[in-house]
Amino acid sequence: MTAAGKLEGRTILLGVTGSIAAYKAPLLVRLLVHNGATVQVLTTPAAAHFVTLETLATVSGRPVLSDMFAGGNTWTQHVELGLKADLLLIAPLSAHTLAKVAHGFADNTVAATALTARCPVLLCPAMDHYMYLNAAVRANLDLVQARGIHVMAPEWGALASGLTGTGRLPEPADIFQEVVRTVRLGHSLRGKRALVTAGPTREPLDAVRVLTNRSTGTMGYCLAEALAVRGADVTLVSGPTQLSTPPGVQRINVETAAEMHAAVLDAADRDLVFMAAAVADFAPLVRADNKISKQEAPADVPLRPTTDILKDLGQHKRSGQLLVGFAMETGNGHANALRKLKQKNLDFIVLNYVNQAGAGFGTGTNQVTLFGRDGAHKALPVMPKRAVAEELLKLILRHS
Ligand code: CTP
């Protein structure tokens, strides 16, 4: 065993597909096995054109699963496999299997397992240069990454077609390092329970009209995804958004601040709490059951304050719990953020400005400053919200 068995006790599912780079798969299997991993190889029918199943079975020490309908295989094995594994690695990944993974096809063992996997998934595409640059392949890669699947980019170099370009499968040693990193990441919050709130709330005025704000929920959803990727058990309490639920996240839909409060209280014992929702601070005092007609238009709309959910959580914070709030400001941000951090008994607060270019509501990017209890702060550059979520988690977990 080498490198002190970096994958000791881990189970890796290795999907091998019909790409010429499949000839590197046995070397990759050896490396994983020598580092303590149990490796179960799965192949698509086309893979057998490039590497023999006998070779893969010999180096992995177990039969290759190549045919979903082969005698002796139970029909639900693609479900069981993805439940108990630590990682599904598909290397090499052909453009064809990528398309299946991206669009939910399940007509072979590799594609079906990718669809049912509850573990992290790491894809290593390998194909010809122009295939890799094709718009359909780029769109499929974007699609899978948007769903939290990890992709290791292919390398530039001489390709089997005789062309030189991007598309080479990285060397087994480099894939191995990425596997170790992804497996570690997938375990870093295992056993932890997280609560994230996201999106706006809607406070009804009558049967059709609401008081709301411009939050899209993106920042909270990115945080929920980043927590789930690390293995946390994540509950996402979401106001109305257009976003799809990140993989592995349990989502509870709410509409008003009062509904959000109730849903949050049900999950208030979580280890990690991220209150990213833009909760309405006030709501119409009365809600008309019918639609208010033009003729009855009120000259003014009396408002009542809503409960400050985060303050409530801060007052009842249990020991060891990590409470993170957000401050959306238009000015005097540092002072306001620090005041909210103290008043609400938070461990961290994330400040962003609603009126700054590239930050706030409705943009794909954000620019935030993270403040800790001790007043220490770190400003991050403008980044896509998914990268902001990753950076925030890294900083918060390192300093908590
Ligand atoms: N928050 C909450 N419940 C509310 C209002 C806000 O839990 N009724 C949370 C938000 O989710 C956020 C934090 O409190 O994590 C700060 O929200 P923000 O709107 O910036 O500040 P407020 O406390 O509402 O103060 P102000 O309106 O004075 O800016």
Side-chain angles (χ1 to χ4, degrees):
M1 196 165 299
T2 58
K6 286 182 176 171
L7 293 171
E8 204 58 60
R10 306 293 190 212
T11 300
I12 311 290
L13 301 175
L14 172 63
V16 181
T17 74
S19 152
I20 180 66
Y23 77 87
K24 293 182 182 173
L27 293 171
L28 179 57
V29 174
R30 280 183 60 122
L31 210 45
L32 297 169
V33 169
H34 282 191
N35 277 275
T38 299
V39 180
Q40 174 62 64
V41 180
L42 323 167
T43 55
T44 63
H49 290 286
F50 303 98
V51 60
T52 74
L53 304 190
E54 289 79 357
T55 306
L56 291 166
T58 305
V59 289
S60 66
R62 53 186 55 232
V64 171
L65 300 175
S66 54
D67 182 354
M68 284 210 284
F69 303 104
N73 290 346
T74 55
W75 169 237
T76 53
Q77 77 177 349
H78 55 286
V79 180
E80 289 157 22
L81 286 170
L83 276 181
K84 55 181 189 218
D86 293 287
L87 179 74
L88 168 62
L89 165 69
I90 309 185
L93 171 76
S94 66
H96 192 204
T97 299
L98 167 65
K100 289 185 184 183
V101 173
H103 297 281
F105 286 78
D107 61 350
N108 64 46
T109 311
V110 176
T113 306
L115 209 52
T116 57
R118 303 288 296 165
C119 57
V121 178
L122 173 62
L123 305 179
C124 299
M127 60 196 75
D128 189 59
H129 177 73
Y130 291 113
M131 219 167 173
Y132 182 63
L133 293 185
N134 184 281
V137 171
R138 312 298 318 159
N140 286 339
L141 283 170
D142 287 347
L143 208 54
V144 295
Q145 283 178 292
R147 294 186 192 135
I149 289 180
H150 306 272
V151 174
M152 186 178 185
E155 291 178 350
W156 190 90
L159 300 168
S161 59
L163 292 174
T164 297
T166 305
R168 276 172 70 94
L169 185 72
E171 289 309 311
D174 295 327
I175 298 178
F176 168 73
Q177 293 302 341
E178 194 63 18
V179 167
V180 171
R181 208 187 65 78
T182 313
V183 168
R184 274 202 191 134
L185 188 70
H187 278 262
S188 58
L189 289 178
R190 277 264 166 108
K192 294 281 184 199
R193 298 165 78 221
L195 166 66
V196 180
T197 66
T201 63
R202 270 189 201 153
E203 311 301 329
L205 171 63
D206 66 8
V208 293
R209 300 180 181 92
V210 293
L211 190 65
T212 187
N213 60 64
R214 294 197 170 95
S215 167
T216 59
T218 311
M219 197 61 242
Y221 277 61
C222 287
L223 272 167
E225 181 188 305
L227 287 158
V229 160
R230 285 163 172 76
D233 176 356
V234 184
T235 301
L236 173 65
V237 174
S238 174
T241 72
Q242 300 294 319
L243 304 172
S244 46
T245 312
V249 167
Q250 194 213 343
R251 170 166 158 188
I252 298 167
N253 291 326
V254 296
E255 185 150 351
T256 62
E259 285 170 17
M260 183 168 279
H261 191 196
V264 164
L265 288 187
D266 278 347
D269 62 339
R270 301 300 194 259
D271 306 297
L272 311 161
V273 179
F274 293 83
M275 192 76 204
V279 188
D281 286 322
F282 30 78
L285 185 60
V286 263
R287 175 200 194 280
D289 289 335
N290 302 322
K291 183 186 166 201
I292 301 172
S293 76
K294 249 201 306 257
Q295 288 75 26
E296 319 165 307
D300 45 42
V301 178
L303 300 172
R304 61 171 171 83
T306 59
T307 307
D308 189 325
I309 304 170
L310 189 55
K311 195 168 176 191
D312 188 19
L313 289 178
Q315 278 163 356
H316 299 98
K317 192 168 134 187
R318 67 167 173 79
S319 92
Q321 187 176 43
L322 187 93
L323 210 52
V324 183
F326 283 71
M328 177 68 88
E329 305 293 342
T330 48
N332 208 17
H334 280 224
N336 284 344
L338 283 171
R339 176 178 50 80
K340 289 174 190 179
L341 180 123
K342 279 212 175 67
Q343 277 175 354
K344 302 192 190 201
N345 191 22
L346 309 178
D347 298 289
F348 294 93
I349 194 157
V350 182
L351 163 69
N352 58 174
Y353 286 98
V354 74
N355 48 359
Q356 180 188 322
F361 293 152
T363 62
T365 58
N366 207 356
Q367 199 275 307
V368 303
T369 302
L370 178 69
F371 291 81
R373 270 185 105 85
D374 54 2
H377 63 275
K378 181 160 173 65
L380 300 178
V382 177
M383 290 190 281
K385 284 184 176 167
R386 175 169 288 154
V388 173
E390 288 290 331
E391 265 322 293
L392 283 177
L393 270 195
K394 260 189 230 158
L395 289 169
I396 287 170
L397 296 173
R398 198 182 302 148
H399 292 105
S400 56

